[in-house]
Amino acid sequence: MAVMTEEGAALVVDPARPVFMASGQGSQKPGMGATLLDVPEVAETFACASDMLGRDIAALATDDAPEAAAALNETRNAQAAIATLSIGIGRALQAAGVEPAALLGFSLGQVSALALSGMVSMEDAFRIIDVRSRLMDEAAAAAPGAMSALLKATPEAVEELCAACAGDDVLVAANFNSPGQIVISGSVAAIERAEAAWKEQGGRASRLATQGAFHSPMMAAAAEPFGALLATIQFREPQVPLICNTDAAPVDAASIRQRLVDHLTHPVLFSQSVERLRAAGAQTFVEVGFGGVLQNLVKRIDKEAERFCLQDKESLEAYLAARAGA
């Protein structure tokens, strides 16, 4: 059983069990999850999502026609499909007897992790996702922005870059993905200035396909209404440690509402969260979701960590078979 202690910021997890990592927005792709729909827990999760969100999430996620990509990439659809698949795969693992040592989500994935930790029901998880995605869309429309990944970046260099290029605009570090990869978020003009300056310094920048300046003060308009929704949700204590994106520390029922609200405007500390879990004894990281982005980030953070991405029936069955034969 996973154990959490909070004596002087100590965190201890069972090294024999994997950390489940729930995917974030941007990992979506038409056809994802198609081979998993006959897995009972996955099918049940898609059915629940469709009921709660009022549209066919399975059809949205598994349609691999070229024209399906545009609909899937819309924030409200991408977040719904990604979270549904993550929760479904996580539940399938739990049904097969694989209990996580801890849970870690990336941005949107933190809401998926809430469901897998037992902090909220599946129904409430989809209520949160529905309102969260709508509010983020509205904030992005009201204050257009962008995000860009800086490669070969250090926190100090990014702080200096943002200070130099912000001007009167918003420009902040938004995602600490791994050593040497930090995402910045802000107004389009500020992002363009920062990308040009970073390239002049010999760095590389890659614009993200997001519809707004997420995890920045430009999402502040979403905070109050999101908090109002969260006040109606019943949160329980997590059954295993769930690491929060905003501070790389475990959450509890008393603090989760404010930390989820803060999450809209604060950076994602993914690299720091993985490092803390490794220091606490975690040895294996399993991405429940599509694309393998988090698995690849773990490799950059700590090459010694064992890592998997379970995104289709083949990878799920192979992982379970390997565990059974161990």
Side-chain angles (χ1 to χ4, degrees):
M1 180 176 181
V3 177
M4 179 175 64
T5 64
E6 282 300 327
E7 298 178 5
L11 171 69
V12 180
V13 300
D14 186 346
R17 293 186 175 186
V19 173
F20 287 4
M21 303 184 296
S23 306
Q25 188 171 345
S27 61
Q28 70 273 7
K29 183 179 179 182
M32 67 182 196
T35 62
L36 288 164
L37 289 182
D38 61 349
V39 176
E41 295 76 21
V42 176
E44 291 166 6
T45 306
F46 271 105
C48 180
S50 298
D51 288 344
M52 294 300 299
L53 302 177
R55 57 194 189 279
D56 191 338
I57 304 301
L60 178 71
T62 60
D63 185 354
D64 61 0
E67 59 272 17
L72 182 60
N73 285 336
E74 294 177 12
T75 296
R76 64 190 293 267
N77 290 333
Q79 292 197 9
I82 292 163
T84 303
L85 190 59
S86 287
I87 295 170
I89 295 171
R91 291 181 66 235
L93 286 171
Q94 291 171 322
V98 182
E99 291 295 338
L103 289 154
L104 173 62
F106 189 102
S107 188
L108 164 70
Q110 186 154 286
V111 182
S112 307
L114 289 175
L116 294 174
S117 75
M119 289 196 79
V120 297
S121 66
M122 271 206 303
E123 290 80 3
D124 279 343
F126 291 123
R127 285 179 62 204
I128 293 170
I129 290 163
D130 189 35
V131 174
R132 182 182 186 271
S133 61
R134 175 176 58 79
L135 292 173
M136 291 173 71
D137 252 349
E138 291 172 354
M147 302 179 76
S148 185
L150 305 181
L151 306 182
K152 299 183 179 179
T154 65
E156 296 76 17
V158 170
E159 183 178 1
E160 292 177 5
L161 181 75
C162 289
C165 297
D168 294 327
D169 297 318
V170 170
L171 184 64
V172 297
N175 302 344
F176 291 84
N177 289 346
S178 65
Q181 186 183 121
I182 298 173
V183 174
I184 55 174
S185 183
S187 73
V188 174
I191 290 290
E192 289 174 347
R193 292 192 295 269
E195 288 174 331
W198 188 245
K199 290 173 183 177
E200 287 178 1
Q201 297 177 31
R204 292 170 52 203
S206 177
R207 187 73 62 92
L208 303 190
T210 60
Q211 297 180 325
F214 302 141
H215 301 292
S216 84
M218 294 178 71
M219 291 289 110
E224 184 175 347
F226 189 48
L229 176 276
L230 295 175
T232 70
I233 303 291
Q234 178 184 357
F235 289 92
R236 298 176 289 273
E237 295 299 337
Q239 295 173 5
V240 297
L242 193 166
I243 305 303
C244 182
N245 280 181
T246 58
D247 55 14
V251 301
D252 56 26
S255 66
I256 186 60
R257 292 180 180 85
Q258 187 58 51
R259 291 163 93 172
L260 286 172
V261 171
D262 290 344
H263 195 210
L264 296 173
T265 56
H266 288 60
V268 175
L269 305 185
F270 184 78
S271 184
Q272 296 90 327
S273 297
V274 171
E275 289 169 353
R276 184 166 187 192
L277 285 163
R278 283 289 282 160
Q283 297 183 3
T284 304
F285 293 78
V286 173
E287 182 173 357
V288 291
F290 194 83
V293 172
L294 304 187
Q295 172 193 237
N296 290 331
L297 291 179
V298 170
K299 181 180 180 180
R300 295 180 181 182
I301 296 165
D302 190 331
K303 290 182 173 60
E304 300 301 315
E306 191 175 22
R307 56 205 176 272
F308 301 88
C309 176
L310 308 186
Q311 62 180 351
D312 51 29
K313 193 169 186 179
E314 181 181 6
S315 57
L316 177 62
E317 290 181 343
Y319 177 78
L320 291 175
R323 282 182 61 91

PDB file of all heavy atoms in Angstrom, residues 2 64 78 87 102 109 151 159 184 273 308 326:
ATOM      1  N   ALA A   2       0.473   2.255  -0.778  1.00  0.00           N
ATOM      2  CA  ALA A   2       1.221   3.505  -0.800  1.00  0.00           C
ATOM      3  C   ALA A   2       1.076   4.211   0.531  1.00  0.00           C
ATOM      4  O   ALA A   2       0.023   4.204   1.148  1.00  0.00           O
ATOM      5  CB  ALA A   2       0.713   4.408  -1.919  1.00  0.00           C
ATOM      6  N   ASP A  64     -11.224   8.213 -36.740  1.00  0.00           N
ATOM      7  CA  ASP A  64      -9.897   8.509 -37.298  1.00  0.00           C
ATOM      8  C   ASP A  64      -9.963   9.128 -38.682  1.00  0.00           C
ATOM      9  O   ASP A  64      -8.946   9.197 -39.393  1.00  0.00           O
ATOM     10  CB  ASP A  64      -9.025   7.249 -37.317  1.00  0.00           C
ATOM     11  CG  ASP A  64      -9.631   6.142 -38.182  1.00  0.00           C
ATOM     12  OD1 ASP A  64     -10.713   6.353 -38.748  1.00  0.00           O
ATOM     13  OD2 ASP A  64      -9.008   5.056 -38.269  1.00  0.00           O
ATOM     14  N   ALA A  78     -11.122  18.082 -26.755  1.00  0.00           N
ATOM     15  CA  ALA A  78      -9.826  17.471 -26.458  1.00  0.00           C
ATOM     16  C   ALA A  78      -9.750  17.076 -24.985  1.00  0.00           C
ATOM     17  O   ALA A  78      -9.334  15.964 -24.642  1.00  0.00           O
ATOM     18  CB  ALA A  78      -8.697  18.434 -26.805  1.00  0.00           C
ATOM     19  N   ILE A  87      -8.885   8.068 -17.463  1.00  0.00           N
ATOM     20  CA  ILE A  87      -9.639   7.478 -16.357  1.00  0.00           C
ATOM     21  C   ILE A  87      -9.994   6.033 -16.676  1.00  0.00           C
ATOM     22  O   ILE A  87      -9.882   5.142 -15.824  1.00  0.00           O
ATOM     23  CB  ILE A  87     -10.901   8.305 -16.059  1.00  0.00           C
ATOM     24  CG1 ILE A  87     -10.513   9.702 -15.562  1.00  0.00           C
ATOM     25  CG2 ILE A  87     -11.778   7.605 -15.013  1.00  0.00           C
ATOM     26  CD1 ILE A  87     -11.686  10.677 -15.481  1.00  0.00           C
ATOM     27  N   ALA A 102       1.175   6.148  -6.333  1.00  0.00           N
ATOM     28  CA  ALA A 102       0.850   7.571  -6.281  1.00  0.00           C
ATOM     29  C   ALA A 102       0.256   7.947  -7.630  1.00  0.00           C
ATOM     30  O   ALA A 102       0.322   7.176  -8.595  1.00  0.00           O
ATOM     31  CB  ALA A 102       2.094   8.416  -5.989  1.00  0.00           C
ATOM     32  N   GLY A 109      -4.695  16.434 -16.756  1.00  0.00           N
ATOM     33  CA  GLY A 109      -4.538  15.113 -16.159  1.00  0.00           C
ATOM     34  C   GLY A 109      -4.699  15.111 -14.653  1.00  0.00           C
ATOM     35  O   GLY A 109      -4.990  14.070 -14.056  1.00  0.00           O
ATOM     36  N   LEU A 151      13.593  25.083 -25.682  1.00  0.00           N
ATOM     37  CA  LEU A 151      14.508  23.967 -25.485  1.00  0.00           C
ATOM     38  C   LEU A 151      15.864  24.482 -25.030  1.00  0.00           C
ATOM     39  O   LEU A 151      16.272  25.600 -25.341  1.00  0.00           O
ATOM     40  CB  LEU A 151      14.640  23.174 -26.779  1.00  0.00           C
ATOM     41  CG  LEU A 151      13.302  22.692 -27.379  1.00  0.00           C
ATOM     42  CD1 LEU A 151      13.548  21.868 -28.635  1.00  0.00           C
ATOM     43  CD2 LEU A 151      12.499  21.895 -26.362  1.00  0.00           C
ATOM     44  N   GLU A 159      13.324  32.996 -16.639  1.00  0.00           N
ATOM     45  CA  GLU A 159      12.890  34.139 -15.828  1.00  0.00           C
ATOM     46  C   GLU A 159      13.438  35.443 -16.404  1.00  0.00           C
ATOM     47  O   GLU A 159      12.704  36.440 -16.523  1.00  0.00           O
ATOM     48  CB  GLU A 159      13.366  33.955 -14.380  1.00  0.00           C
ATOM     49  CG  GLU A 159      12.906  35.068 -13.446  1.00  0.00           C
ATOM     50  CD  GLU A 159      13.356  34.843 -12.011  1.00  0.00           C
ATOM     51  OE1 GLU A 159      14.027  33.843 -11.735  1.00  0.00           O
ATOM     52  OE2 GLU A 159      13.026  35.705 -11.159  1.00  0.00           O
ATOM     53  N   ILE A 184       6.633  28.636 -22.047  1.00  0.00           N
ATOM     54  CA  ILE A 184       6.229  29.971 -21.634  1.00  0.00           C
ATOM     55  C   ILE A 184       4.822  30.251 -22.163  1.00  0.00           C
ATOM     56  O   ILE A 184       4.389  29.654 -23.154  1.00  0.00           O
ATOM     57  CB  ILE A 184       7.213  31.061 -22.110  1.00  0.00           C
ATOM     58  CG1 ILE A 184       7.414  30.989 -23.631  1.00  0.00           C
ATOM     59  CG2 ILE A 184       8.535  30.931 -21.374  1.00  0.00           C
ATOM     60  CD1 ILE A 184       8.266  32.137 -24.183  1.00  0.00           C
ATOM     61  N   SER A 273       7.728  17.427  -9.754  1.00  0.00           N
ATOM     62  CA  SER A 273       6.877  16.383  -9.176  1.00  0.00           C
ATOM     63  C   SER A 273       7.483  14.999  -9.372  1.00  0.00           C
ATOM     64  O   SER A 273       7.490  14.170  -8.453  1.00  0.00           O
ATOM     65  CB  SER A 273       5.486  16.437  -9.818  1.00  0.00           C
ATOM     66  OG  SER A 273       4.843  17.664  -9.530  1.00  0.00           O
ATOM     67  N   PHE A 308       6.354   3.406 -18.836  1.00  0.00           N
ATOM     68  CA  PHE A 308       5.479   2.777 -19.819  1.00  0.00           C
ATOM     69  C   PHE A 308       4.409   3.780 -20.235  1.00  0.00           C
ATOM     70  O   PHE A 308       4.054   4.671 -19.469  1.00  0.00           O
ATOM     71  CB  PHE A 308       4.781   1.542 -19.229  1.00  0.00           C
ATOM     72  CG  PHE A 308       5.706   0.470 -18.728  1.00  0.00           C
ATOM     73  CD1 PHE A 308       6.174   0.505 -17.415  1.00  0.00           C
ATOM     74  CD2 PHE A 308       6.098  -0.573 -19.555  1.00  0.00           C
ATOM     75  CE1 PHE A 308       7.024  -0.483 -16.943  1.00  0.00           C
ATOM     76  CE2 PHE A 308       6.948  -1.558 -19.081  1.00  0.00           C
ATOM     77  CZ  PHE A 308       7.415  -1.521 -17.777  1.00  0.00           C
ATOM     78  N   ALA A 326       6.043 -11.743 -13.864  1.00  0.00           N
ATOM     79  CA  ALA A 326       7.200 -11.313 -13.071  1.00  0.00           C
ATOM     80  C   ALA A 326       7.340 -12.142 -11.791  1.00  0.00           C
ATOM     81  O   ALA A 326       6.381 -12.611 -11.218  1.00  0.00           O
ATOM     82  CB  ALA A 326       7.041  -9.847 -12.728  1.00  0.00           C
TER      83      ALA A 326
END
